Amino acid sequence: MPFKSLGLSDPLVKGILATGYTAPTQIQAEAIPAAIEGKDIIACAQTGTGKTAAFVLPILNRLCHEPRSKKPVIKALILTPTRELAVQIETALKGYGRFTQIKSLTVYGGVSIQTQLKALQKGVDIVVATPGRLMDHMNRKSLDLRSIEVLVLDEADRMFDMGFINDVRKIVGVMPKKRQTLLFSATMSDDIKALTTSIQVDPKIIVVGQQRNPIETITQHVYHVKAEQKTDLLVHMLNDGEMNSVLVFSRTKRGADKIARRLDHAGVKTVTVHSDKSQSQRMKAMEGFRAGKFQVMVATDVAARGIDISGISHVVNFDVPAYAEDYIHRIGRTGRAEATGDAITFVSDDEKDHIKKIERFISKKFKFETYHGFDYAGFTPATSEAGIKSYALPKMAWSGKKGGGGGGRKSFGGGRPGGGAGGASRRPGARRK
Ligand code: AMP
């Protein structure tokens, strides 16, 4: 299906083609026509499905058709939980909108507010914001939301997780009631459902792929290892497999720094990203990683959602995330937009309960693998099924059209069936070209 058949105007179709996309992803094919019609939308879509374009394009399309005043007023607000995501959305707006006159501004904390104030004074059509900094602007009265026509809540589940819900409610409270509201979330909790009923009218529900199941392009591996041997195993894997672009997750900032130091010591080019780093350090780190200057980037969960680097070959969970949802957010950094990827999780004895929680959450059992050629130093790693023998599958809490993850999603890139835990002694990078 070509982009033109979705009802997008010519300059936008040109902008998309110039970006290099040839066909819409499933979420784009389903959400864009409904959003152009003016409907409210709840889209349950995993990371990497192309959801950013699914809300950015209808907004640009609407503004293309509206008369423009000399000094633009803010007609669309996109709220997103992290600065990195805000930057990624801004890049999408600028890219797809390159043949339009529409002006957008990104507003997030950790950088000087002055530049943002100046841009707001000149006038913008679209603001992309993290809730905290947007509240600062609202308190200063430097930004007026009374002309908002479209509100997007991006990664709504993460905004809840990060404690932004009260800010979101306050922000929504000052907007016109008559507006279009588009909500995107990887998972649908009761909190989010309650929010949608209070801020949306008769929303169209779109579910892409199976809710909760990690996207199908990712192959998942789980290794049982002694906590103190995790770094050695990581170094062994990095030296052995074709692991070119590896994102390693650590639960804590101190842990991330420690892993990075040990990898550096082992001669692996490594960079870290966490909330103690300044915005410019984080951007620089990501640019370096993207450009291939570093083989490994070590990050904490807070940094996880904003990272959009295509071509991450492996995600390594150095420790098992304590929250099952974070597992999906972490591994979603690889396998972005249909490319394939491997997710590797190291499990020490004290983390087995976390693995069980993840198994329940994603309705899938893992198998512990052993890594060939690695000296476990007397430790006998489990190789059987991880977690629990049997459990009831959680009910799908969300009704609506199930995308099934096939069909239109194969329109670009290859894909190998994912989710297979694989047999023992497999090299996670071995099949990659
Ligand atoms: P998102 O889920 O919005 O974070 O998008 C994931 C990745 O898919 C990003 O790197 C996008 O640039 C890319 N992408 C989005 N739409 C398309 C498309 N129609 N064709 C190819 N790549 C896309």
Side-chain angles (χ1 to χ4, degrees):
M1 178 200 288
F3 274 103
K4 198 159 177 55
S5 65
L6 300 180
L8 294 165
S9 58
D10 289 343
L12 291 180
V13 175
K14 234 172 106 183
I16 299 160
L17 296 179
T19 310
Y21 304 160
T22 47
T25 62
Q26 186 187 348
I27 182 81
Q28 291 161 7
E30 292 195 35
I32 292 171
I36 289 178
E37 248 180 62
K39 283 200 76 64
D40 282 356
I41 288 179
I42 297 174
C44 198
Q46 307 282 348
T47 42
T49 52
K51 66 179 172 57
T52 313
F55 59 76
V56 159
L57 288 168
I59 293 176
L60 290 171
N61 196 65
R62 173 192 275 255
L63 300 186
C64 275
H65 287 97
E66 290 186 0
R68 296 181 54 76
S69 50
K70 221 170 175 190
K71 183 180 165 187
V73 292
I74 305 168
K75 290 194 172 163
L77 173 68
I78 301 168
L79 277 180
T80 192
T82 67
R83 317 173 216 198
E84 285 80 12
L85 275 169
V87 171
Q88 179 188 323
I89 295 166
E90 167 84 350
T91 308
L93 279 163
K94 298 244 182 316
Y96 310 141
R98 70 185 81 184
F99 300 111
T100 71
Q101 303 299 312
I102 295 160
K103 287 199 168 60
S104 54
L105 174 68
T106 309
V107 157
Y108 50 77
V111 293
S112 152
I113 202 163
Q114 292 307 323
T115 329
Q116 296 170 5
L117 289 172
K118 271 190 206 143
L120 285 167
Q121 268 160 15
K122 279 194 199 152
V124 294
D125 301 280
I126 304 171
V127 168
V128 184
T130 52
R133 180 53 71 92
L134 187 75
M135 289 294 288
D136 284 352
H137 279 286
M138 283 165 62
N139 293 337
R140 287 169 178 249
K141 303 209 182 327
S142 48
L143 171 149
D144 186 355
L145 300 178
R146 285 172 304 178
S147 305
I148 290 290
E149 295 174 12
V150 187
L151 165 67
V152 176
L153 299 181
D154 179 38
E155 309 229 346
D157 49 351
R158 195 55 164 186
M159 286 205 268
F160 268 91
D161 292 351
M162 290 172 74
F164 285 139
I165 186 57
N166 286 334
D167 286 351
V168 170
R169 285 192 194 279
K170 278 186 205 149
I171 293 164
V172 175
V174 301
M175 287 181 195
K177 287 216 161 29
K178 192 171 171 299
R179 54 154 206 273
Q180 182 179 30
T181 305
L182 313 175
L183 181 139
F184 289 75
S185 192
T187 50
M188 276 295 155
S189 63
D190 289 342
D191 286 336
I192 294 174
K193 280 185 232 167
L195 177 73
T196 61
T197 31
S198 63
I199 65 169
Q200 290 188 307
V201 182
D202 186 26
K204 178 181 163 83
I205 296 167
I206 300 170
V207 181
V208 172
Q210 261 189 315
Q211 194 198 349
R212 292 180 170 179
N213 281 348
I215 40 183
E216 288 132 27
T217 50
I218 302 168
T219 309
Q220 299 166 70
H221 307 267
V222 180
Y223 295 95
H224 183 207
V225 60
K226 265 201 296 195
E228 53 273 30
Q229 276 202 308
K230 284 184 174 182
T231 322
D232 293 340
L233 178 57
L234 180 58
V235 172
H236 178 83
M237 283 182 175
L238 290 167
N239 289 333
D240 180 54
E242 293 158 52
M243 298 173 74
N244 311 320
S245 187
V246 184
L247 181 58
V248 176
F249 278 106
S250 157
R251 210 154 37 208
T252 63
K253 293 178 241 179
R254 277 187 55 199
D257 287 335
K258 206 166 139 194
I259 296 165
R261 270 198 308 274
R262 292 184 62 182
L263 290 182
D264 268 337
H265 192 68
V268 178
K269 288 205 177 333
T270 308
V271 69
T272 43
V273 170
H274 56 60
S275 55
D276 277 357
K277 304 272 176 189
S278 70
Q279 179 62 9
S280 64
Q281 282 174 320
R282 287 157 75 166
M283 301 287 272
K284 223 172 133 193
M286 279 191 230
E287 270 163 34
F289 184 56
R290 198 177 277 128
K293 280 192 203 150
F294 304 100
Q295 184 183 2
V296 174
M297 180 156 80
V298 189
T300 53
D301 286 301
V302 177
R305 288 214 110 177
I307 297 170
D308 178 31
I309 296 170
S310 52
I312 291 178
S313 61
H314 296 72
V315 164
V316 176
N317 294 310
F318 195 85
D319 40 37
V320 183
Y323 297 100
E325 287 184 23
D326 280 335
Y327 177 78
I328 291 180
H329 299 152
R330 284 180 176 193
I331 72 168
R333 302 302 100 195
T334 187
R336 305 279 286 167
E338 325 285 321
T340 58
D342 286 277
I344 294 164
T345 303
F346 292 167
V347 187
S348 52
D349 281 333
D350 56 334
E351 292 175 313
K352 282 186 176 168
D353 280 349
H354 295 326
I355 271 288
K356 286 182 195 173
K357 275 199 250 165
I358 294 168
E359 287 183 324
R360 276 198 208 98
F361 190 75
I362 65 173
S363 311
K364 164 185 168 52
K365 279 185 213 169
F366 294 120
K367 266 198 184 117
F368 283 127
E369 299 172 45
T370 50
Y371 200 85
H372 73 103
F374 179 66
D375 178 9
Y376 283 89
F379 175 72
T380 313
T383 51
S384 59
E385 280 185 354
I388 355 157
K389 282 269 172 265
S390 71
Y391 47 83
L393 294 188
K395 278 198 193 109
M396 291 296 278
W398 204 242
S399 61
K401 195 171 169 210
K402 304 274 186 296
R409 300 185 70 205
K410 293 284 169 248
S411 51
F412 61 95
R416 64 167 185 253
S425 285
R426 199 156 85 193
R427 289 170 48 180
R431 286 153 296 140
R432 192 171 313 287
K433 284 207 186 93

